[in-house]
Each structure stands twice: as C-alpha cells, then as structure tokens.
Amino acid sequence: MHAFQADPAFDAGSVVVCDWPLCQVRLQDDVRFPWLILIPRRAGLRELEDLTPADRALLMDETIRAGEVVRMLGEAARRPVEKLNVAALGNVTAQLHVHVVGRRRDDGLWPDPVWGRGGARPYGAQALQTAVSRVRLSRAG
C-alpha cells in the first residue's frame, strides 16, 4: 500500500495550509480569489467513486467547511463572496481534489470559470502568510 502524496503539480500554484480529518488543505496562490483546494489524503484516488462511502460523506462535510473558510477569507479582504464555485475537475491533475473558489460579479472573470485561465496574481509574502494563518485559525466547521 502506498502512502498519500499530493501530486507535485499542486506546488506550482498553491501552498499547503493544514490537514483536516480527510483532506490536505491548500490555498491557491492567487490573490484575485479566496480559493482552497482539498486533496483527500488517500493514495491512488482519481474519482469521487474511489472514496469509501464514509470518506465521501467526510469530503462533503469538509467541502462545506472550506466554503465557510473561503467566505471568511473574502470578508477579511473586504471582498465578500457572492457565489461559491465547487468542482472536482482533474483534467490537468488527475489526483482527486476539490476546488472551492469564492466569486464576485466584479472579480474580472465573472461569469466565466476560473479554471484554466492564466493571469494568476500571487499573494505577496506577507499577504500569503496572513491568509494561511487565517485558514489555520479558522473556527469554520
């Protein structure tokens, strides 16, 4: 049995924040959107159907929790989230993961999806550390 390891492709655009009971939680390094990525810490997962029923339920709970945290990040940035986009695409990185993205009508890409759209604006070092700390300290969920 292989141990969980996040696909190295995640390192290019996101940072590890913490582990929740099922998922590794990552912050997408794009200041335009409050955006978390949840990666279930189970080896070899590609599809939702690969999860056990108990893990599917836990992933749903953690996805809801991530939405609450994303909303909190939007509030902290004085850009309240109007709509959550939640998706498990996997077209670029096949490892099962769920994106939870906070959207606003004035976010520059609205109403189009954010996936596959270049132009990410990385957080500065201090802003990134602040956002990571907020997620780690969040009482959401």
Side-chain angles (χ1 to χ4, degrees):
M1 179 112 188
H2 298 281
F4 164 78
Q5 183 175 8
D7 188 305
F10 288 108
D11 294 335
S14 66
V15 296
V16 175
V17 175
C18 60
D19 286 335
W20 286 349
L22 177 63
C23 293
Q24 178 183 89
V25 179
R26 300 182 74 98
L27 177 71
Q28 186 73 12
D29 191 8
D30 189 343
V31 74
R32 299 174 303 165
F33 309 101
W35 184 341
L36 295 180
I37 301 170
L38 305 178
I39 308 172
R41 290 180 291 115
R42 306 286 189 262
L45 300 179
R46 293 175 54 94
E47 306 292 347
L48 291 168
E49 64 201 34
D50 296 336
L51 291 165
T52 66
D55 281 349
R56 283 183 215 140
L58 189 51
L59 179 59
M60 180 59 72
D61 290 345
E62 291 185 8
T63 301
I64 300 297
R65 180 180 178 187
E68 293 169 350
V69 173
V70 162
R71 288 185 187 282
M72 178 271 303
L73 289 172
E75 290 290 332
R78 293 187 172 87
R79 294 188 312 262
V81 170
E82 296 175 27
K83 179 70 178 108
L84 290 173
N85 289 178
V86 177
L89 301 172
N91 295 343
V92 174
T93 306
Q95 182 175 23
L96 178 62
H97 61 286
V98 176
H99 295 269
V100 182
V101 186
R103 300 296 306 275
R104 296 173 46 91
R105 284 180 176 81
D106 63 357
D107 68 24
L109 292 179
W110 185 275
D112 297 329
V114 299
W115 297 278
R117 302 289 299 265
R121 287 194 356 233
Y123 287 86
Q126 184 59 47
L128 181 63
Q129 186 54 49
T130 298
V132 166
S133 294
R134 283 189 173 122
V135 176
R136 286 182 182 153
L137 296 172
S138 172
R139 300 288 183 225

